[in-house]
Amino acid sequence: MLRRVFGRRGEFGWQGVIGAAMCLAVSAVAASAQDHVEHDPADIEYGLAVYLAECASCHGEAGDAVAGVDLRSGQLRRGATDRDLIGVIRNGIPGTGMLAFELDAAEMAGIIAYLRNMTYEADAVTLGDAARGRAIFEGRGACLDCHRVGGRGPRAATDLSAVGAERAPSALRRSLLDPTGTMRPIDRPVELVTADGERVTGRRLNEDTYTVQILDDDARLRSFDKADLRELRVLTASPMPAYGDRLDADELADLLAYLVSLKG
Ligand code: HEC
Ligand code: HEC
């Protein structure tokens, strides 16, 4: 579906070229300033989908359909910084046709990345087909061995049911390619040995100087006084395998599309 969208954007590319030629030097300077903003292609591409769904009805696919506003010019009166842009999108512009939008964190990251890169042409499709991605998630990828989605999967597993609302597509892709590098400290798996020799593995829900609360691998919530433990080890490697070698680029794109679609 996104492939088709990009095909259509190709046609708009010509309008963009003509438009840019007419705007002469001013926009050339703006465009080169914009080029320094690095956004991940996955965020930009997701932002395009959000843009087409939410914004294009008024602003047009090329971003120039509202009189006096050219979203691809790189010169937004009210959008000098990303924070300004977020404010305009969240609050709208009272007294004008610009509505207030309730976007989740991932959609907002996407739309900002896209607005800053509206002239971007994707050469690689980084978001694939969500239905195929779901089949990989539940089948060959065996993600349900360690994750829960919509009540399926082991009870103690990390729940991904809303991960598409909480994380930007680029962050999700990094998690797939480099789980250890992207693991948050609180998510590090722990191994401990109690005073009477019991070995417990799981992940921390909470920790302070004296105590640690653990969800063990059998999904039991357990609390320990650190002083009573014989051993407490926090592992730095994620148990999750890196998928860069296990799945090809199309499969990764499909899986990413599925994760992005998980909105809780
Ligand atoms: C119902 C029509 C409508 C929709 C939908 C809409 N806009 Fe707007 N937008 C407007 C109008 C009209 C203005 C100009 C307001 C003014 O008069 O300053 C505007 C202005 C803006 C501006 C300020 C431009 C500048 O030069 O500072 C930004 C940024 C913007 N819109 C982004 C968005 C985004 C992103 C979306 C989708 C999430 C969106 N708009 C959806 C009508 C719309
Ligand atoms: C052997 C267990 C295991 C398998 C298999 C596994 N994961 Fe994970 N995954 C984890 C654990 C544990 C975490 C949380 C800690 C971390 O980031 O390493 C995690 C984290 C994640 C995150 C980041 C979540 C966040 O909140 O940012 C994503 C996304 C993810 N996994 C997707 C997948 C997908 C998709 C698959 C299948 C292709 C998969 N995982 C397979 C154990 C696993």
Side-chain angles (χ1 to χ4, degrees):
M1 183 227 176
L2 277 162
R3 278 177 210 277
R4 209 187 64 221
V5 165
F6 278 117
R8 274 193 281 141
R9 282 186 74 227
E11 294 155 28
F12 280 100
W14 286 107
Q15 286 183 14
V17 169
I18 296 162
M22 292 192 304
C23 293
L24 292 171
V26 178
S27 70
V29 170
S32 65
Q34 246 183 317
D35 289 342
H36 295 287
V37 183
E38 295 262 332
H39 286 282
D40 189 289
D43 290 341
I44 300 172
E45 196 169 327
Y46 182 48
L48 165 63
V50 176
Y51 181 83
L52 293 175
E54 306 284 352
C55 320
S57 56
C58 293
H59 287 281
E61 288 192 36
D64 57 1
V66 168
V69 175
D70 182 357
L71 293 181
R72 20 187 343 171
S73 68
Q75 302 203 311
L76 300 177
R77 269 172 300 147
R78 296 184 174 82
T81 67
D82 287 356
R83 184 194 287 247
D84 296 340
L85 259 186
I86 291 171
V88 168
I89 296 166
R90 276 221 183 100
N91 306 321
I93 305 174
T96 77
M98 178 59 198
L99 314 170
F101 288 87
E102 261 183 55
L103 301 181
D104 65 37
E107 289 164 340
M108 190 61 93
I111 197 75
I112 299 299
Y114 179 65
L115 289 176
R116 297 297 188 209
N117 293 273
M118 277 187 82
T119 51
Y120 161 92
E121 299 289 342
D123 36 17
V125 173
T126 52
L127 289 183
D129 179 84
R132 280 202 307 263
R134 179 178 179 169
I136 296 168
F137 190 90
E138 295 176 355
R140 201 159 94 61
C143 314
L144 282 176
D145 287 357
C146 300
H147 288 292
R148 257 174 110 67
V149 169
R152 296 182 60 195
R155 281 199 300 140
T158 326
D159 199 314
L160 299 181
S161 303
V163 82
E166 292 156 0
R167 311 255 184 269
S170 53
L172 292 173
R173 194 180 47 203
R174 280 196 299 276
S175 290
L176 296 180
L177 299 180
D178 180 17
T180 292
T182 52
M183 182 166 59
R184 287 166 303 171
I186 190 70
D187 285 332
R188 289 177 182 153
V190 293
E191 264 178 26
L192 58 82
V193 181
T194 64
D196 40 14
E198 188 196 357
R199 185 171 289 275
V200 179
T201 56
R203 63 189 165 91
R204 287 168 299 176
L205 296 177
N206 249 310
E207 178 173 17
D208 61 29
T209 315
Y210 305 106
T211 65
V212 59
Q213 281 83 45
I214 287 185
L215 188 65
D216 75 13
D217 289 342
D218 299 320
R220 281 175 305 178
L221 177 65
R222 309 190 49 182
S223 191
F224 300 95
D225 282 328
K226 286 182 181 174
D228 296 342
L229 298 175
R230 260 194 231 164
E231 217 179 277
L232 173 61
R233 291 210 304 143
V234 178
L235 310 178
T236 50
S238 172
M240 177 165 150
Y243 283 93
D245 301 334
R246 293 169 187 244
L247 300 172
D248 67 29
D250 287 339
E251 291 171 318
L252 278 173
D254 292 341
L255 197 52
L256 195 55
Y258 175 61
L259 292 174
V260 166
S261 78
L262 297 175
K263 298 286 190 182

